[in-house]
Amino acid sequence: MQSPNDTESAAFYPSTTDGDIRNLRLPKRRKRIALVAQGGGQRGIYTTGVLDSFLDAGFDPFELYFGTSAGALNISSYITRQRGFGHHFITQYTTNDRFFNLVKYVRRQQFMDLDWALDMAGPNNVDGLRVEQARGVLSERSAYACVTNTHTLEPDFFHLFEGDWVNVLKATCAIPMLYPSPVQLNNNFYVDGGVSNAIPAREAFNRGADIIVVIRTEPVVEDKAPVSSVLVENLRSRMEKRLPDYLARLNIEDRLGKLSEFHEQLSNRLEDIRHRYRESTPEPLWHKIREMMPKHKHQNGGRWLFGGDSIYRLHASRGKSSMQICWKC
């Protein structure tokens, strides 16, 4: 038997049937779309082509932008609406001897001059990035660059075109051993974001992206080109000899646990490379490459376009070669 209170409650809170629920239409939330740009040095010229095509078509549905190394630079020029900026940066600045010269680096005379390149691309240069334009685009959007914390070896993300954003770009491109020191941001030190997170798609998801568009600078399929295991062992040896000195410059020589972890990760990566590529000839591949190289100096050529794994080839290239090496940012 219902009490009067029950009757009042039933009248005040009318029952809802399953049909009512099915017919109930909630307002749809607009999907958040994120753009993620991988690094890859001069391979980033592919990314510049994609983003310039977006600009030509007036296409920018993105609310979130994420970039690592060269990807962060390309994202920056896309946000500033400067068509051709990324192409010019890669073809004019990163091919300049002032930026990097292999022979001088091997002789320990010159590191990668990232400071000069970013000065040329910075807001103080008449042809540099247009900061105010970027801030207008980002008034209701967010853009991030990925960097690697030298203490935790984990990725961190900093806003582009906010605060000390030029040093954020420098940090995301500061390749260990090619750039002389880590970059300080706030109270921490950072190096190339590609060390910890070359494609920060997970970060885009964690920040609420429903659709994630990724621009890669390397193929998804594994490269089956043969590489000699002798070369891999040579690279491992050279890297392991130089790691302690470099880590000492990061002021983490007292963190033996991190040093051991870093060493193990490097060894595992090189071991993976050796298993991925089968040795097709008993003769070391590097010896063949050196025999094929011309004896005279290359005229503004002989540059390597390389990504993550290939950077280790640098440390096997000591000798008489005059080949230049270019940027892996």
Side-chain angles (χ1 to χ4, degrees), residues 216 218-226 272-278 309:
R216 296 180 60 101
E218 59 184 4
V220 177
V221 297
E222 289 189 358
D223 185 359
K224 298 300 183 181
D272 289 341
I273 295 173
R274 183 168 63 177
H275 286 301
R276 282 175 55 195
Y277 300 98
R278 294 193 300 270
D309 294 338

PDB file of all heavy atoms in Angstrom, residues 216 218-226 272-278 309:
ATOM      1  N   ARG A 216      54.970  10.488 -40.131  1.00  0.00           N
ATOM      2  CA  ARG A 216      56.209   9.756 -39.881  1.00  0.00           C
ATOM      3  C   ARG A 216      57.277  10.167 -40.891  1.00  0.00           C
ATOM      4  O   ARG A 216      56.969  10.593 -42.000  1.00  0.00           O
ATOM      5  CB  ARG A 216      55.977   8.252 -39.974  1.00  0.00           C
ATOM      6  CG  ARG A 216      55.034   7.689 -38.922  1.00  0.00           C
ATOM      7  CD  ARG A 216      54.878   6.187 -39.120  1.00  0.00           C
ATOM      8  NE  ARG A 216      56.148   5.503 -39.003  1.00  0.00           N
ATOM      9  CZ  ARG A 216      56.547   4.839 -37.914  1.00  0.00           C
ATOM     10  NH1 ARG A 216      55.769   4.786 -36.859  1.00  0.00           N
ATOM     11  NH2 ARG A 216      57.712   4.221 -37.892  1.00  0.00           N
ATOM     12  N   GLU A 218      59.952   7.869 -41.300  1.00  0.00           N
ATOM     13  CA  GLU A 218      60.595   6.603 -41.607  1.00  0.00           C
ATOM     14  C   GLU A 218      59.514   5.579 -41.875  1.00  0.00           C
ATOM     15  O   GLU A 218      58.402   5.703 -41.364  1.00  0.00           O
ATOM     16  CB  GLU A 218      61.505   6.140 -40.468  1.00  0.00           C
ATOM     17  CG  GLU A 218      60.785   5.956 -39.142  1.00  0.00           C
ATOM     18  CD  GLU A 218      61.731   5.600 -38.013  1.00  0.00           C
ATOM     19  OE1 GLU A 218      62.942   5.573 -38.260  1.00  0.00           O
ATOM     20  OE2 GLU A 218      61.249   5.346 -36.896  1.00  0.00           O
ATOM     21  N   PRO A 219      59.784   4.571 -42.667  1.00  0.00           N
ATOM     22  CA  PRO A 219      58.750   3.584 -43.006  1.00  0.00           C
ATOM     23  C   PRO A 219      58.356   2.750 -41.808  1.00  0.00           C
ATOM     24  O   PRO A 219      59.143   2.548 -40.872  1.00  0.00           O
ATOM     25  CB  PRO A 219      59.428   2.728 -44.090  1.00  0.00           C
ATOM     26  CG  PRO A 219      60.898   2.887 -43.844  1.00  0.00           C
ATOM     27  CD  PRO A 219      61.066   4.298 -43.342  1.00  0.00           C
ATOM     28  N   VAL A 220      57.134   2.271 -41.834  1.00  0.00           N
ATOM     29  CA  VAL A 220      56.644   1.410 -40.760  1.00  0.00           C
ATOM     30  C   VAL A 220      57.279   0.036 -40.847  1.00  0.00           C
ATOM     31  O   VAL A 220      57.615  -0.582 -39.835  1.00  0.00           O
ATOM     32  CB  VAL A 220      55.112   1.285 -40.826  1.00  0.00           C
ATOM     33  CG1 VAL A 220      54.606   0.327 -39.748  1.00  0.00           C
ATOM     34  CG2 VAL A 220      54.460   2.656 -40.666  1.00  0.00           C
ATOM     35  N   VAL A 221      57.493  -0.456 -42.064  1.00  0.00           N
ATOM     36  CA  VAL A 221      58.080  -1.789 -42.233  1.00  0.00           C
ATOM     37  C   VAL A 221      59.546  -1.756 -41.856  1.00  0.00           C
ATOM     38  O   VAL A 221      60.218  -0.733 -41.962  1.00  0.00           O
ATOM     39  CB  VAL A 221      57.931  -2.276 -43.688  1.00  0.00           C
ATOM     40  CG1 VAL A 221      56.463  -2.422 -44.043  1.00  0.00           C
ATOM     41  CG2 VAL A 221      58.624  -1.326 -44.652  1.00  0.00           C
ATOM     42  N   GLU A 222      60.063  -2.900 -41.419  1.00  0.00           N
ATOM     43  CA  GLU A 222      61.462  -2.989 -41.043  1.00  0.00           C
ATOM     44  C   GLU A 222      62.350  -2.966 -42.284  1.00  0.00           C
ATOM     45  O   GLU A 222      62.023  -3.546 -43.316  1.00  0.00           O
ATOM     46  CB  GLU A 222      61.727  -4.276 -40.262  1.00  0.00           C
ATOM     47  CG  GLU A 222      61.132  -4.276 -38.867  1.00  0.00           C
ATOM     48  CD  GLU A 222      61.595  -5.475 -38.068  1.00  0.00           C
ATOM     49  OE1 GLU A 222      62.338  -6.309 -38.637  1.00  0.00           O
ATOM     50  OE2 GLU A 222      61.235  -5.586 -36.896  1.00  0.00           O
ATOM     51  N   ASP A 223      63.463  -2.280 -42.157  1.00  0.00           N
ATOM     52  CA  ASP A 223      64.440  -2.240 -43.226  1.00  0.00           C
ATOM     53  C   ASP A 223      65.245  -3.532 -43.210  1.00  0.00           C
ATOM     54  O   ASP A 223      65.856  -3.871 -42.208  1.00  0.00           O
ATOM     55  CB  ASP A 223      65.362  -1.030 -43.017  1.00  0.00           C
ATOM     56  CG  ASP A 223      66.343  -0.846 -44.160  1.00  0.00           C
ATOM     57  OD1 ASP A 223      66.313  -1.668 -45.094  1.00  0.00           O
ATOM     58  OD2 ASP A 223      67.136   0.107 -44.106  1.00  0.00           O
ATOM     59  N   LYS A 224      65.258  -4.245 -44.321  1.00  0.00           N
ATOM     60  CA  LYS A 224      65.951  -5.532 -44.388  1.00  0.00           C
ATOM     61  C   LYS A 224      67.348  -5.427 -44.975  1.00  0.00           C
ATOM     62  O   LYS A 224      67.976  -6.446 -45.262  1.00  0.00           O
ATOM     63  CB  LYS A 224      65.129  -6.513 -45.237  1.00  0.00           C
ATOM     64  CG  LYS A 224      63.746  -6.813 -44.655  1.00  0.00           C
ATOM     65  CD  LYS A 224      63.846  -7.434 -43.267  1.00  0.00           C
ATOM     66  CE  LYS A 224      62.468  -7.788 -42.736  1.00  0.00           C
ATOM     67  NZ  LYS A 224      62.535  -8.359 -41.381  1.00  0.00           N
ATOM     68  N   ALA A 225      67.834  -4.222 -45.160  1.00  0.00           N
ATOM     69  CA  ALA A 225      69.176  -4.074 -45.725  1.00  0.00           C
ATOM     70  C   ALA A 225      70.207  -4.702 -44.795  1.00  0.00           C
ATOM     71  O   ALA A 225      70.165  -4.506 -43.588  1.00  0.00           O
ATOM     72  CB  ALA A 225      69.493  -2.587 -45.920  1.00  0.00           C
ATOM     73  N   PRO A 226      71.132  -5.481 -45.349  1.00  0.00           N
ATOM     74  CA  PRO A 226      72.097  -6.171 -44.490  1.00  0.00           C
ATOM     75  C   PRO A 226      73.113  -5.216 -43.885  1.00  0.00           C
ATOM     76  O   PRO A 226      73.600  -4.301 -44.531  1.00  0.00           O
ATOM     77  CB  PRO A 226      72.796  -7.144 -45.462  1.00  0.00           C
ATOM     78  CG  PRO A 226      72.645  -6.496 -46.793  1.00  0.00           C
ATOM     79  CD  PRO A 226      71.322  -5.791 -46.769  1.00  0.00           C
ATOM     80  N   ASP A 272      69.541  -5.537 -30.703  1.00  0.00           N
ATOM     81  CA  ASP A 272      68.384  -5.673 -31.578  1.00  0.00           C
ATOM     82  C   ASP A 272      68.755  -5.393 -33.030  1.00  0.00           C
ATOM     83  O   ASP A 272      68.274  -6.056 -33.957  1.00  0.00           O
ATOM     84  CB  ASP A 272      67.271  -4.703 -31.141  1.00  0.00           C
ATOM     85  CG  ASP A 272      66.638  -5.134 -29.837  1.00  0.00           C
ATOM     86  OD1 ASP A 272      66.793  -6.328 -29.484  1.00  0.00           O
ATOM     87  OD2 ASP A 272      65.998  -4.297 -29.176  1.00  0.00           O
ATOM     88  N   ILE A 273      69.601  -4.369 -33.217  1.00  0.00           N
ATOM     89  CA  ILE A 273      70.024  -4.039 -34.582  1.00  0.00           C
ATOM     90  C   ILE A 273      70.735  -5.220 -35.209  1.00  0.00           C
ATOM     91  O   ILE A 273      70.507  -5.571 -36.368  1.00  0.00           O
ATOM     92  CB  ILE A 273      70.944  -2.802 -34.562  1.00  0.00           C
ATOM     93  CG1 ILE A 273      70.173  -1.569 -34.077  1.00  0.00           C
ATOM     94  CG2 ILE A 273      71.508  -2.531 -35.962  1.00  0.00           C
ATOM     95  CD1 ILE A 273      71.046  -0.355 -33.879  1.00  0.00           C
ATOM     96  N   ARG A 274      71.605  -5.859 -34.429  1.00  0.00           N
ATOM     97  CA  ARG A 274      72.359  -6.980 -34.979  1.00  0.00           C
ATOM     98  C   ARG A 274      71.444  -8.129 -35.376  1.00  0.00           C
ATOM     99  O   ARG A 274      71.648  -8.781 -36.398  1.00  0.00           O
ATOM    100  CB  ARG A 274      73.389  -7.468 -33.960  1.00  0.00           C
ATOM    101  CG  ARG A 274      74.260  -8.599 -34.516  1.00  0.00           C
ATOM    102  CD  ARG A 274      75.442  -8.884 -33.644  1.00  0.00           C
ATOM    103  NE  ARG A 274      75.048  -9.358 -32.332  1.00  0.00           N
ATOM    104  CZ  ARG A 274      75.926  -9.732 -31.395  1.00  0.00           C
ATOM    105  NH1 ARG A 274      77.217  -9.622 -31.624  1.00  0.00           N
ATOM    106  NH2 ARG A 274      75.510 -10.140 -30.233  1.00  0.00           N
ATOM    107  N   HIS A 275      70.399  -8.366 -34.595  1.00  0.00           N
ATOM    108  CA  HIS A 275      69.481  -9.457 -34.920  1.00  0.00           C
ATOM    109  C   HIS A 275      68.557  -9.083 -36.073  1.00  0.00           C
ATOM    110  O   HIS A 275      68.114  -9.955 -36.823  1.00  0.00           O
ATOM    111  CB  HIS A 275      68.663  -9.816 -33.685  1.00  0.00           C
ATOM    112  CG  HIS A 275      69.457 -10.564 -32.653  1.00  0.00           C
ATOM    113  ND1 HIS A 275      70.080 -11.774 -32.907  1.00  0.00           N
ATOM    114  CD2 HIS A 275      69.766 -10.258 -31.369  1.00  0.00           C
ATOM    115  CE1 HIS A 275      70.713 -12.195 -31.822  1.00  0.00           C
ATOM    116  NE2 HIS A 275      70.554 -11.282 -30.877  1.00  0.00           N
ATOM    117  N   ARG A 276      68.229  -7.792 -36.195  1.00  0.00           N
ATOM    118  CA  ARG A 276      67.324  -7.356 -37.262  1.00  0.00           C
ATOM    119  C   ARG A 276      67.962  -7.489 -38.630  1.00  0.00           C
ATOM    120  O   ARG A 276      67.293  -7.767 -39.622  1.00  0.00           O
ATOM    121  CB  ARG A 276      66.906  -5.902 -37.027  1.00  0.00           C
ATOM    122  CG  ARG A 276      65.836  -5.702 -35.961  1.00  0.00           C
ATOM    123  CD  ARG A 276      65.606  -4.231 -35.738  1.00  0.00           C
ATOM    124  NE  ARG A 276      65.283  -3.553 -36.984  1.00  0.00           N
ATOM    125  CZ  ARG A 276      65.313  -2.237 -37.143  1.00  0.00           C
ATOM    126  NH1 ARG A 276      65.674  -1.474 -36.158  1.00  0.00           N
ATOM    127  NH2 ARG A 276      64.998  -1.710 -38.299  1.00  0.00           N
ATOM    128  N   TYR A 277      69.247  -7.233 -38.700  1.00  0.00           N
ATOM    129  CA  TYR A 277      69.923  -7.253 -39.994  1.00  0.00           C
ATOM    130  C   TYR A 277      70.845  -8.468 -40.090  1.00  0.00           C
ATOM    131  O   TYR A 277      71.752  -8.615 -39.300  1.00  0.00           O
ATOM    132  CB  TYR A 277      70.741  -5.976 -40.173  1.00  0.00           C
ATOM    133  CG  TYR A 277      69.918  -4.734 -40.116  1.00  0.00           C
ATOM    134  CD1 TYR A 277      69.834  -3.992 -38.942  1.00  0.00           C
ATOM    135  CD2 TYR A 277      69.209  -4.290 -41.226  1.00  0.00           C
ATOM    136  CE1 TYR A 277      69.086  -2.842 -38.878  1.00  0.00           C
ATOM    137  CE2 TYR A 277      68.451  -3.133 -41.166  1.00  0.00           C
ATOM    138  CZ  TYR A 277      68.395  -2.416 -39.990  1.00  0.00           C
ATOM    139  OH  TYR A 277      67.648  -1.281 -39.938  1.00  0.00           O
ATOM    140  N   ARG A 278      70.592  -9.300 -41.062  1.00  0.00           N
ATOM    141  CA  ARG A 278      71.398 -10.506 -41.225  1.00  0.00           C
ATOM    142  C   ARG A 278      72.660 -10.183 -42.003  1.00  0.00           C
ATOM    143  O   ARG A 278      72.641  -9.425 -42.983  1.00  0.00           O
ATOM    144  CB  ARG A 278      70.590 -11.563 -41.994  1.00  0.00           C
ATOM    145  CG  ARG A 278      69.390 -12.062 -41.234  1.00  0.00           C
ATOM    146  CD  ARG A 278      68.837 -13.309 -41.906  1.00  0.00           C
ATOM    147  NE  ARG A 278      68.419 -13.042 -43.268  1.00  0.00           N
ATOM    148  CZ  ARG A 278      67.193 -12.646 -43.580  1.00  0.00           C
ATOM    149  NH1 ARG A 278      66.302 -12.458 -42.648  1.00  0.00           N
ATOM    150  NH2 ARG A 278      66.869 -12.424 -44.841  1.00  0.00           N
ATOM    151  N   ASP A 309      68.608   4.957 -35.446  1.00  0.00           N
ATOM    152  CA  ASP A 309      69.675   3.970 -35.351  1.00  0.00           C
ATOM    153  C   ASP A 309      70.949   4.430 -36.031  1.00  0.00           C
ATOM    154  O   ASP A 309      72.051   4.140 -35.574  1.00  0.00           O
ATOM    155  CB  ASP A 309      69.222   2.643 -35.997  1.00  0.00           C
ATOM    156  CG  ASP A 309      68.092   2.015 -35.221  1.00  0.00           C
ATOM    157  OD1 ASP A 309      67.961   2.347 -34.045  1.00  0.00           O
ATOM    158  OD2 ASP A 309      67.358   1.210 -35.813  1.00  0.00           O
TER     159      ASP A 309
END
